[in-house]
Amino acid sequence: MGISFNTPATVILANGSFPTHEIPLSLLRRTTYLCCCDRAGMTAIQKGYMPDAIVGDGDSLPENFRQRYAAIFHHVAEQDDNDLTKATRFVIAKGFKNIVYLGATGKREDHTLANISLLGYYHKCLGVEAMMVTDKGWFVAAGGCRTFKAFPRQQVSVFNINCTKLQGKGLRWDLYPFSSLWQGTLNEAEDSSFEINGDGEYLIYQTFEAK
Protein backbone atom coordinates (compact mmCIF):
# COMPACT_ATOMS: atom_id res chain seq x y z
CA MET A 1 0.00 0.00 0.00
CA GLY A 2 3.03 2.32 0.03
CA ILE A 3 3.07 2.64 3.84
CA SER A 4 4.13 0.07 6.40
CA PHE A 5 4.38 0.14 10.17
CA ASN A 6 8.14 -0.35 9.85
CA THR A 7 8.80 2.70 7.68
CA PRO A 8 8.53 6.21 9.15
CA ALA A 9 6.05 8.36 7.27
CA THR A 10 4.48 11.78 7.49
CA VAL A 11 2.02 11.90 10.38
CA ILE A 12 -1.02 14.15 10.57
CA LEU A 13 -2.36 14.27 14.13
CA ALA A 14 -6.02 15.20 14.45
CA ASN A 15 -7.81 16.38 17.58
CA GLY A 16 -9.70 13.16 18.28
CA SER A 17 -8.65 10.61 20.88
CA PHE A 18 -4.88 10.69 21.40
CA PRO A 19 -3.30 7.27 20.67
CA THR A 20 -2.56 4.86 23.51
CA HIS A 21 -1.66 1.67 21.59
CA GLU A 22 2.04 1.06 20.97
CA ILE A 23 1.71 0.86 17.17
CA PRO A 24 0.28 4.35 16.59
CA LEU A 25 2.57 5.74 19.30
CA SER A 26 5.60 4.22 17.57
CA LEU A 27 4.52 5.85 14.30
CA LEU A 28 4.25 9.16 16.12
CA ARG A 29 7.73 8.77 17.62
CA ARG A 30 9.37 7.81 14.34
CA THR A 31 7.63 10.19 11.95
CA THR A 32 9.74 12.18 9.53
CA TYR A 33 7.30 15.11 9.70
CA LEU A 34 4.53 15.84 12.21
CA CYS A 35 1.68 18.11 11.15
CA CYS A 36 -1.04 18.78 13.73
CA CYS A 37 -4.60 19.91 13.14
CA ASP A 38 -5.20 23.06 15.19
CA ARG A 39 -5.68 22.13 18.88
CA ALA A 40 -3.99 18.76 18.33
CA GLY A 41 -0.80 20.82 18.28
CA MET A 42 -1.34 21.76 21.92
CA THR A 43 -2.02 18.13 22.82
CA ALA A 44 1.10 16.92 21.01
CA ILE A 45 3.31 19.41 22.83
CA GLN A 46 1.74 18.51 26.19
CA LYS A 47 2.52 14.86 25.42
CA GLY A 48 6.14 15.64 24.54
CA TYR A 49 5.94 15.67 20.73
CA MET A 50 7.05 18.84 18.93
CA PRO A 51 5.13 19.43 15.68
CA ASP A 52 6.84 20.57 12.52
CA ALA A 53 3.65 22.41 11.63
CA ILE A 54 0.26 23.24 13.14
CA VAL A 55 -2.42 23.90 10.50
CA GLY A 56 -5.97 25.18 10.83
CA ASP A 57 -8.16 28.21 11.37
CA GLY A 58 -6.87 28.58 14.92
CA ASP A 59 -10.34 28.90 16.43
CA SER A 60 -9.54 26.34 19.14
CA LEU A 61 -6.09 27.71 20.02
CA PRO A 62 -5.54 30.32 22.76
CA GLU A 63 -3.96 33.53 21.51
CA ASN A 64 -0.89 33.16 23.74
CA PHE A 65 -0.27 29.69 22.28
CA ARG A 66 -0.59 31.01 18.73
CA GLN A 67 1.91 33.75 19.49
CA ARG A 68 4.37 31.42 21.20
CA TYR A 69 4.35 28.95 18.30
CA ALA A 70 3.84 31.46 15.50
CA ALA A 71 6.84 30.04 13.61
CA ILE A 72 5.09 26.71 13.06
CA PHE A 73 1.44 27.80 13.05
CA HIS A 74 -0.05 28.09 9.56
CA HIS A 75 -3.40 29.84 9.53
CA VAL A 76 -5.93 28.66 6.92
CA ALA A 77 -9.09 30.70 7.24
CA GLU A 78 -11.33 29.09 4.61
CA GLN A 79 -14.19 26.95 5.91
CA ASP A 80 -14.91 24.77 2.86
CA ASP A 81 -12.54 22.07 4.19
CA ASN A 82 -12.12 20.70 7.69
CA ASP A 83 -8.77 20.89 9.49
CA LEU A 84 -7.82 17.35 8.45
CA THR A 85 -8.10 18.31 4.78
CA LYS A 86 -6.30 21.61 5.35
CA ALA A 87 -3.42 19.71 6.95
CA THR A 88 -3.46 17.16 4.14
CA ARG A 89 -3.21 19.84 1.46
CA PHE A 90 -0.42 21.49 3.46
CA VAL A 91 1.78 18.39 3.63
CA ILE A 92 1.09 17.55 -0.03
CA ALA A 93 2.40 21.01 -0.92
CA LYS A 94 5.53 20.08 1.05
CA GLY A 95 5.98 17.07 -1.23
CA PHE A 96 4.66 14.37 1.10
CA LYS A 97 2.28 11.76 -0.37
CA ASN A 98 2.59 8.88 2.12
CA ILE A 99 0.56 9.97 5.13
CA VAL A 100 -0.42 8.32 8.41
CA TYR A 101 -3.40 9.85 10.21
CA LEU A 102 -3.53 9.54 14.00
CA GLY A 103 -6.09 10.87 16.46
CA ALA A 104 -8.70 11.05 13.69
CA THR A 105 -11.29 8.94 15.51
CA GLY A 106 -12.91 9.08 18.94
CA LYS A 107 -14.64 11.97 20.70
CA ARG A 108 -17.42 13.27 18.41
CA GLU A 109 -18.88 10.52 16.24
CA ASP A 110 -19.71 12.85 13.33
CA HIS A 111 -16.07 13.94 13.15
CA THR A 112 -14.97 10.30 13.22
CA LEU A 113 -17.27 9.33 10.36
CA ALA A 114 -16.29 12.38 8.30
CA ASN A 115 -12.56 11.75 8.78
CA ILE A 116 -12.79 8.08 7.80
CA SER A 117 -14.83 8.90 4.70
CA LEU A 118 -12.27 11.49 3.64
CA LEU A 119 -9.68 8.75 3.09
CA GLY A 120 -11.42 7.80 -0.15
CA TYR A 121 -11.36 11.41 -1.34
CA TYR A 122 -7.67 11.82 -0.49
CA HIS A 123 -6.80 8.63 -2.35
CA LYS A 124 -8.86 9.28 -5.47
CA CYS A 125 -8.67 13.05 -5.84
CA LEU A 126 -5.42 14.04 -4.11
CA GLY A 127 -3.29 11.01 -5.00
CA VAL A 128 -2.42 10.25 -1.40
CA GLU A 129 -1.37 6.83 -0.09
CA ALA A 130 -2.91 7.10 3.36
CA MET A 131 -3.36 4.97 6.46
CA MET A 132 -5.62 5.99 9.35
CA VAL A 133 -4.42 4.21 12.47
CA THR A 134 -6.47 3.84 15.65
CA ASP A 135 -5.89 1.96 18.91
CA LYS A 136 -7.62 -1.13 17.48
CA GLY A 137 -6.48 -1.28 13.84
CA TRP A 138 -6.18 0.76 10.68
CA PHE A 139 -8.08 1.99 7.62
CA VAL A 140 -6.74 2.36 4.10
CA ALA A 141 -8.40 3.56 0.91
CA ALA A 142 -7.76 1.64 -2.30
CA GLY A 143 -9.14 0.90 -5.73
CA GLY A 144 -8.86 -1.73 -8.43
CA CYS A 145 -7.07 -4.99 -7.65
CA ARG A 146 -4.90 -4.84 -4.52
CA THR A 147 -3.22 -7.35 -2.22
CA PHE A 148 -3.10 -6.69 1.52
CA LYS A 149 -0.80 -8.28 4.10
CA ALA A 150 -2.71 -10.03 6.87
CA PHE A 151 -2.56 -12.93 9.34
CA PRO A 152 -4.95 -15.81 10.04
CA ARG A 153 -8.15 -14.77 11.83
CA GLN A 154 -7.37 -11.08 11.47
CA GLN A 155 -10.67 -9.20 11.40
CA VAL A 156 -11.24 -7.34 8.14
CA SER A 157 -14.04 -5.01 7.05
CA VAL A 158 -14.57 -3.89 3.46
CA PHE A 159 -16.53 -0.69 2.81
CA ASN A 160 -17.64 -0.26 -0.78
CA ILE A 161 -17.53 3.32 -2.04
CA ASN A 162 -18.53 3.09 -5.70
CA CYS A 163 -17.70 -0.41 -7.01
CA THR A 164 -20.27 -2.14 -9.19
CA LYS A 165 -18.03 -5.22 -9.23
CA LEU A 166 -16.26 -6.36 -6.07
CA GLN A 167 -14.56 -9.69 -5.37
CA GLY A 168 -12.09 -11.02 -2.84
CA LYS A 169 -9.66 -13.89 -2.27
CA GLY A 170 -8.30 -15.08 1.04
CA LEU A 171 -11.25 -13.89 3.12
CA ARG A 172 -13.65 -16.15 5.00
CA TRP A 173 -16.77 -14.73 3.34
CA ASP A 174 -17.27 -13.77 -0.30
CA LEU A 175 -17.46 -10.15 -1.35
CA TYR A 176 -19.95 -8.52 -3.67
CA PRO A 177 -20.71 -4.86 -4.54
CA PHE A 178 -22.31 -3.99 -1.21
CA SER A 179 -25.00 -1.32 -1.32
CA SER A 180 -24.82 -0.53 2.41
CA LEU A 181 -21.71 0.17 4.51
CA TRP A 182 -22.45 -2.48 7.13
CA GLN A 183 -22.64 -5.35 4.63
CA GLY A 184 -18.87 -5.77 4.23
CA THR A 185 -18.00 -5.65 7.91
CA LEU A 186 -16.75 -8.42 10.21
CA ASN A 187 -14.97 -10.53 7.61
CA GLU A 188 -11.82 -12.50 8.41
CA ALA A 189 -8.45 -13.17 6.78
CA GLU A 190 -7.60 -16.82 6.25
CA ASP A 191 -3.83 -16.55 5.70
CA SER A 192 -0.94 -14.07 5.39
CA SER A 193 -2.62 -11.97 2.71
CA PHE A 194 -5.89 -11.34 0.92
CA GLU A 195 -6.84 -9.77 -2.39
CA ILE A 196 -9.59 -7.30 -3.25
CA ASN A 197 -10.61 -6.73 -6.86
CA GLY A 198 -13.06 -3.92 -7.56
CA ASP A 199 -13.88 -1.66 -10.47
CA GLY A 200 -13.94 1.41 -8.23
CA GLU A 201 -12.92 2.66 -4.80
CA TYR A 202 -13.27 0.99 -1.39
CA LEU A 203 -12.05 1.25 2.21
CA ILE A 204 -10.39 -1.58 4.13
CA TYR A 205 -10.20 -1.90 7.91
CA GLN A 206 -7.84 -4.42 9.56
CA THR A 207 -7.42 -5.15 13.27
CA PHE A 208 -4.13 -5.42 15.16
CA GLU A 209 -5.23 -8.63 16.87
CA ALA A 210 -6.84 -11.85 15.71
CA LYS A 211 -10.31 -12.82 16.89
Side-chain angles (χ1 to χ4, degrees):
M1 288 301 301
I3 301 175
S4 75
F5 295 126
N6 298 319
T7 304
T10 305
V11 166
I12 292 179
L13 179 67
N15 195 37
S17 297
F18 193 84
T20 59
H21 192 280
E22 176 55 27
I23 289 179
L25 287 175
S26 70
L27 291 166
L28 188 57
R29 287 193 298 267
R30 295 183 293 111
T31 181
T32 57
Y33 192 89
L34 174 59
C35 179
C36 295
C37 300
D38 235 17
R39 196 173 181 86
M42 287 185 63
T43 303
I45 292 170
Q46 290 167 357
K47 298 285 188 180
Y49 302 92
M50 179 54 64
D52 295 285
I54 301 172
V55 177
D57 57 20
D59 61 352
S60 61
L61 293 174
E63 183 60 30
N64 62 344
F65 180 90
R66 292 175 59 172
Q67 292 177 358
R68 181 176 181 181
Y69 294 99
I72 60 171
F73 176 64
H74 302 271
H75 182 251
V76 182
E78 60 90 359
Q79 297 296 317
D80 292 333
D81 294 318
N82 68 357
D83 285 339
L84 197 73
T85 302
K86 293 173 184 177
T88 300
R89 294 188 186 279
F90 179 86
V91 301
I92 289 174
K94 292 284 185 182
F96 302 114
K97 284 298 185 80
N98 286 358
I99 302 173
V100 170
Y101 296 93
L102 302 177
T105 63
K107 295 186 178 178
R108 276 182 52 175
E109 290 83 358
D110 54 343
H111 287 180
T112 292
L113 184 59
N115 288 342
I116 294 170
S117 67
L118 278 168
L119 282 179
Y121 169 72
Y122 298 157
H123 177 262
K124 182 179 181 180
C125 299
L126 302 184
V128 170
E129 289 288 350
M131 176 187 293
M132 185 173 287
V133 184
T134 73
D135 284 332
K136 300 294 184 181
W138 68 98
F139 292 91
V140 295
C145 185
R146 304 295 291 264
T147 299
F148 301 84
K149 292 182 180 179
F151 51 85
R153 297 179 61 211
Q154 181 186 35
Q155 301 300 283
V156 177
S157 290
V158 182
F159 300 93
N160 182 25
I161 298 177
N162 56 17
C163 293
T164 60
K165 297 179 181 179
L166 188 63
Q167 297 176 316
K169 294 180 181 179
L171 294 173
R172 183 173 180 181
W173 290 283
D174 292 336
L175 304 184
Y176 59 93
F178 311 116
S179 59
S180 297
L181 289 177
W182 65 268
Q183 290 176 308
T185 60
L186 307 180
N187 213 319
E188 189 173 293
E190 296 182 320
D191 209 332
S192 59
S193 68
F194 61 90
E195 179 182 292
I196 306 292
N197 189 3
D199 62 352
E201 305 289 317
Y202 46 86
L203 291 175
I204 304 296
Y205 178 78
Q206 297 172 254
T207 59
F208 292 136
E209 299 180 1
K211 185 175 181 179

